[in-house]
Amino acid sequence: MRSSSVTDPDAPPVELPPALPEPAREDLRLEIVLGALSDPLRLTIVRKLLLEREAYDHPCGWFGFDRPKSSLTHHFKALREAGVLRQRQYGLERRSRVRMEDLNARFPGLLDLVAEWQPAS
């Protein structure tokens, strides 16, 4: 194993910052989750996270959307407040991941449907 004093920028942080406010697992409501997923961009965000997930959270820039930052902030907030995403604040950026365990426990099969969804061309 190689030792290095330089930190790998793609490695997950040793200590995770606390998650931003989100509903508890038992408070997740199907109609609210489905409402958040009803927007094609938000559905695309969740699908991309499901299909290309890594061992760490992803910043908004990772998605490669050509949208104003304020618009993306709104969509990520809607997904977090619905309980679909967990977000953490890393300095000035927020990073996201799907709350897979919570959603699979509350709504079995839902994330499979999202992963199989194909965006309209």
Side-chain angles (χ1 to χ4, degrees):
M1 184 169 164
R2 185 172 65 118
S3 174
S4 172
S5 62
V6 177
T7 305
D8 179 359
D10 294 327
V14 176
E15 292 184 32
L16 293 175
L20 296 173
E22 63 187 30
R25 177 188 287 190
E26 61 272 8
D27 294 332
L28 296 176
R29 309 256 326 153
L30 183 59
E31 68 274 15
I32 294 172
V33 169
L34 291 177
L37 293 173
S38 69
D39 182 276
L41 179 62
R42 292 195 290 257
L43 193 54
T44 300
I45 289 168
V46 176
R47 181 175 184 267
K48 184 170 175 73
L49 282 170
L50 288 171
L51 297 179
E52 301 176 31
R53 68 183 170 268
E54 305 275 341
Y56 49 89
D57 305 345
H58 290 288
C60 293
W62 174 80
F63 294 88
F65 296 128
D66 186 23
R67 299 281 177 102
K69 186 176 179 181
S70 59
S71 172
L72 291 175
T73 299
H74 163 74
H75 289 293
F76 280 92
K77 180 180 178 185
L79 288 166
R80 179 177 48 84
E81 289 180 344
V84 178
L85 296 183
R86 171 161 293 136
Q87 289 190 301
R88 297 178 192 279
Q89 190 78 35
Y90 293 80
L92 296 177
E93 79 180 1
R94 289 185 177 177
R95 296 184 182 185
S96 305
R97 73 175 21 233
V98 177
R99 292 178 60 186
M100 292 180 57
E101 289 180 15
D102 293 337
L103 291 166
N104 284 332
R106 292 283 289 145
F107 314 114
L110 176 64
L111 293 179
D112 294 333
L113 293 172
V114 172
E116 292 174 14
W117 172 74
Q118 295 294 316
S121 338

